[in-house]
Amino acid sequence: MELEVVEVEPMPVASVTRRTPVEEIGPAMAEAFGAVMTAIDSRGLTPAGPPLAWYPESMVEGQPLLMVIAVPIDADVAELDGVDVQTLPGGKVATATHVGPYAELGATYGAIAAAIGERGLRLAGGPREIYVDDPDVTLQDELRTRIEFPVAG
């Protein structure tokens, strides 16, 4: 895993926010992405980038997880039926790409956290997972997920 520290631009997205138990994250994400894509498709729009999940709160074991499921859209879209239109913040992020099944993301999260500490950086917000590949057409062992942690320092 190679960690990079880069600046990302603010990102306009169509999104829905869900609070769900960790063990139900898969079905909750599927429902949420379905809602977002339905709203985008109903307007004849095309996503402006790969879908993502943003976790704005700290993850606490045993507690439901707050997640924002989002798809990038053009900045000139002001509203969509049934979903939120918002801009995710930009700024400095520590980022690395996980290759493999989503079930193994935890190991990459651990490696990123260790690398952030080794570089003397501080976490400045919750992580984003950007799903580079479509799991319907890409083998699980080849799925790429870019993980971004906002950092300071």
Side-chain angles (χ1 to χ4, degrees):
M1 179 213 69
E2 182 179 326
L3 184 76
E4 293 182 280
V5 178
V6 299
E7 287 282 330
V8 296
E9 295 295 319
M11 182 187 312
V13 297
S15 67
V16 295
T17 301
R18 300 287 189 263
R19 189 174 292 280
T20 187
V22 173
E23 59 273 8
E24 296 174 19
I25 196 168
M29 276 190 164
E31 179 276 326
F33 277 125
V36 172
M37 288 308 299
T38 296
I40 290 171
D41 290 345
S42 72
R43 286 274 301 273
L45 301 174
T46 302
L52 63 109
W54 174 38
Y55 304 98
E57 294 181 350
S58 295
M59 297 176 192
V60 178
E61 191 171 332
Q63 296 295 315
L65 178 66
L66 182 67
M67 60 183 183
V68 177
I69 302 302
V71 174
I73 56 175
D74 290 331
D76 62 350
V77 177
E79 63 180 51
L80 290 169
D81 290 339
V83 301
D84 297 321
V85 173
Q86 64 178 307
T87 300
L88 300 183
K92 186 172 18 172
V93 299
T95 184
T97 300
H98 168 82
V99 179
Y102 299 138
E104 297 174 3
L105 281 166
T108 302
Y109 268 84
I112 292 171
I116 287 171
E118 289 168 5
R119 291 193 183 190
L121 300 169
R122 295 184 327 278
L123 294 179
R128 298 178 190 168
E129 295 174 355
I130 300 166
Y131 306 108
V132 178
D133 297 307
D134 181 345
D136 291 334
V137 297
T138 304
L139 296 173
Q140 278 197 24
D141 290 344
E142 297 174 7
L143 287 172
R144 292 173 296 155
T145 305
R146 190 169 61 246
I147 300 170
E148 297 179 345
F149 273 94
V151 292

